[in-house]
Each structure stands twice: as C-alpha cells, then as structure tokens.
Amino acid sequence: MANTKVAIIASNGGLFDAYKVFNLATAAAASDAEVGIFFTFEGLNFIHKEAHKNLPLPEGKEHFATGFTQANAPSIEELLTITQELDVKMLACQMTMDVLKLEKDQFIDGIEVAGAASFIEYAKDANMTLTF
C-alpha cells in the first residue's frame, strides 16, 4: 500500500468504534500507507489519558467484553501504542477541545491539536477517507 494515504475521522466514543478506528489505522500503517486520524467529539475519548481505558460497550453487548478477552484481542491501550509506533498522525479537534474545556496535557503524548481546516488539508489527497 505504498503511496496510499488514509484519512480517518473518529467522532463516536464507544469501544466498538475504537476497535474499528485503531484496527484499520494500524492495518493500513503496517502496509506502508500514510495514516491520519482526526479525533473529534466523543472520539477524543480514544486518545484521552484516562477515558480510553473505560470505553463503553453498546447496551446489550456486554458479552463482547468476554469475547475480546477470549480472542486475545489487544486492548485499546495496546492498539494506541502500536498506532504511535507506526507513526500514525493523530489530530485532536481544537474546537471540540475548546467546547469541552480540554487541554492538550489531558491526552496521550504524540498528538497534534488542529482545527478542521488542518484535517481537510491532510485528507484532500487521501485515497480513502473513513468515518466512525
């Protein structure tokens, strides 16, 4: 996937969405694609130092917690580490941070704070854009 650029928007904050975002981002990055994720609204929970440790499962889907464990699925924390190791660009939405009164130091290391225009600039020549 060399010369492939993937842009991902993470705006929902549940555990299922986190797995979708990080599984696709790491798979693409491991295949030599350039990957950028724009975290906004509840998606900011994925990169928040504490919130990513307790992402909610959809109501009625609690049995998935056991399934993730039995399948030896990596935790979101492990996926975050892999994402960082693969040099995935992680952008936190400045507007959402302002609305929610969040500061950059509340998030994991290695993120950038950026506005929507910065993500548009990044994504304008992406081969694929995904939204979760």
Side-chain angles (χ1 to χ4, degrees), residues 43-54:
L44 283 172
N45 289 335
F46 301 168
I47 55 173
H48 189 275
K49 285 180 180 175
E50 295 304 318
H52 76 270
K53 298 174 186 174
N54 296 302

Side-chain angles (χ1 to χ4, degrees), residues 25-33 86:
T26 56
S31 299
D32 292 326
L86 291 171

Side-chain angles (χ1 to χ4, degrees), residues 5 7 34 89 91 115-126:
K5 188 174 187 180
E34 178 184 345
K89 183 179 196 75
L91 302 168
S118 295
F119 180 72
I120 297 299
E121 182 64 28
Y122 176 84
K124 73 180 182 187
D125 59 350

Side-chain angles (χ1 to χ4, degrees), residues 16-42:
F16 285 3
D17 294 302
Y19 272 107
K20 293 173 204 173
V21 167
F22 292 124
N23 279 334
L24 290 169
T26 56
S31 299
D32 292 326
E34 178 184 345
V35 182
I37 308 170
F38 185 68
F39 298 91
T40 188
F41 296 105
E42 292 176 349

Side-chain angles (χ1 to χ4, degrees), residues 3-91:
N3 299 322
T4 299
K5 188 174 187 180
V6 179
I8 300 172
I9 300 170
S11 62
N12 295 308
L15 187 63
F16 285 3
D17 294 302
Y19 272 107
K20 293 173 204 173
V21 167
F22 292 124
N23 279 334
L24 290 169
T26 56
S31 299
D32 292 326
E34 178 184 345
V35 182
I37 308 170
F38 185 68
F39 298 91
T40 188
F41 296 105
E42 292 176 349
L44 283 172
N45 289 335
F46 301 168
I47 55 173
H48 189 275
K49 285 180 180 175
E50 295 304 318
H52 76 270
K53 298 174 186 174
N54 296 302
L55 297 171
L57 282 164
E59 191 171 320
K61 304 291 184 185
E62 293 81 9
H63 61 283
F64 274 85
T66 303
F68 284 128
T69 302
Q70 290 175 344
N72 291 321
S75 68
I76 297 305
E77 195 150 21
E78 291 167 322
L79 286 171
L80 262 173
T81 299
I82 295 166
T83 301
Q84 290 171 308
E85 290 170 353
L86 291 171
D87 294 322
V88 170
K89 183 179 196 75
M90 293 189 279
L91 302 168

